[in-house]
């Protein structure tokens, strides 16, 4: 491997480029090997930024990952809202499918959700977390409105509950559906593992969110 040459960024434009390089390095590494395996040393090396200089751009690895999570919320919102604006009849299954496919299309976001409240928000400076909350809240509001427009019978509260269910289910289901390679291989050789635990993420999310929509619509209709 060729020896990396590190040069200090001396202009604001160069600093922005270095910060963007660190974000892209974290994105690449987390997508390739999972969020839990990413280290700041690997990110700095991948980005061509000396480890000792990283804190000029981000206070920690967790801050870089939180930045990626904010981007993920925006992508998820944009994709689902666009899907629900497409012509055609709206139904619980249609809304559930849009949410499930929006999540399935973004593996990194699903992986980040598993770490968000346990690690990222706990270990990043408050000001940065509040900035993240501003971005994620805007995404949540747009998604809630899109779900309510698709299924008016849910009402605002019901639409939020559907989104909350999608958000809450995404992280554990993604991890269950995408176990580490060695674990998946070991499970494949066992006969005592119920076949129902071989989860298809999109199908499971669609099924569970459809049931959530139907249940909430029924509840609202009967109240």
């Amino acid at each position: 491997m060729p020896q990396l040459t590190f040069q200090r960024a001396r202009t604001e434009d160069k600093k922005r480029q270095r910060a963007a390089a660190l974000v892209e390095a974290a994105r690449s590494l987390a997508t390739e090997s999972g969020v839990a395996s990413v280290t700041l040393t690997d990110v700095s090396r991948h980005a061509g930024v000396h480890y000792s200089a990283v804190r000029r751009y981000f206070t920690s690895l967790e801050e870089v990952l939180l930045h990626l999570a904010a981007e993920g919320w925006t992508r998820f919102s944009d994709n689902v809202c666009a899907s629900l604006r497409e012509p055609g009849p709206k139904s619980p299954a249609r809304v559930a499918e849009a949410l499930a496919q929006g999540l399935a299309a973004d593996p990194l976001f699903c992986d980040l959700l598993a770490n968000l409240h346990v690690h990222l928000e706990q270990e990043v400076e408050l000001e940065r977390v509040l900035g993240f909350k501003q971005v994620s809240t805007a995404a949540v509001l747009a998604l809630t409105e899109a779900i309510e427009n698709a299924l008016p019978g849910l009402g605002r509260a019901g639409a939020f509950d559907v989104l909350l269910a999608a958000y809450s289910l995404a992280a554990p289901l993604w991890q269950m559906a995408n176990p580490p390679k060695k674990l998946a291989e070991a499970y494949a050789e066992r006969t005592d593992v119920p076949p129902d635990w071989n989860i298809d993420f999109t199908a499971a999310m669609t099924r569970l969110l459809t049931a959530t929509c139907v249940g909430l619509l029924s509840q609202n209709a009967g109240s």
Side-chain angles (χ1 to χ4, degrees), residues 9-220:
R10 298 186 181 278
T11 67
E12 288 303 316
D13 187 51
K14 287 291 186 182
K15 289 178 181 178
R16 283 192 291 270
Q17 290 177 18
R18 291 285 172 85
L22 288 166
V23 170
E24 290 308 311
R27 188 197 315 281
S28 176
L29 292 168
T31 300
E32 180 181 350
S33 57
V35 170
S37 68
V38 177
T39 68
L40 195 57
T41 300
D42 290 338
V43 170
S44 64
R45 184 183 299 116
H46 198 80
V49 177
H50 197 282
Y51 181 83
S52 63
V54 171
R55 295 188 189 280
R56 296 184 187 137
Y57 312 103
F58 295 98
T59 59
S60 64
L61 172 63
E62 287 75 20
E63 185 186 340
V64 181
L65 296 175
L66 194 65
H67 181 92
L68 292 176
E71 291 183 349
W73 264 113
T74 301
R75 281 194 308 272
F76 177 47
S77 176
D78 289 346
N79 290 339
V80 173
C81 290
S83 176
L84 292 179
R85 282 194 300 268
E86 292 176 359
K90 304 299 190 295
S91 66
R94 169 82 181 273
V95 170
E97 185 178 32
L99 288 164
Q101 290 183 347
L103 289 162
D106 203 335
L108 175 57
F109 181 50
C110 293
D111 196 2
L112 286 163
L113 288 179
N115 293 272
L116 183 57
H117 298 299
V118 177
H119 298 297
L120 305 187
E121 290 186 351
Q122 300 288 334
E123 299 174 23
V124 177
E125 292 179 353
L126 179 59
E127 182 181 354
R128 301 288 196 273
V129 176
L130 291 176
F132 164 77
K133 289 293 189 182
Q134 186 174 7
V135 173
S136 61
T137 297
V140 166
L141 291 174
L143 283 161
T144 301
E145 181 178 4
I147 294 168
E148 183 182 12
N149 288 340
L151 296 174
L154 287 172
R156 189 72 165 181
F160 177 78
D161 281 347
V162 170
L163 178 58
L164 181 61
Y167 169 76
S168 301
L169 289 167
L173 279 180
W174 180 259
Q175 300 298 331
M176 292 172 67
N178 297 275
K181 183 179 179 180
K182 289 183 179 180
L183 179 59
E185 291 172 349
Y187 262 45
E189 296 174 357
R190 298 181 61 130
T191 59
D192 60 338
V193 178
D196 290 342
W197 287 107
N198 185 17
I199 294 173
D200 179 282
F201 176 79
T202 307
M205 286 291 296
T206 302
R207 183 174 65 252
L208 293 171
L209 292 177
T210 299
T212 301
C213 288
V214 170
L216 288 168
L217 287 168
S218 176
Q219 176 180 293
N220 287 353

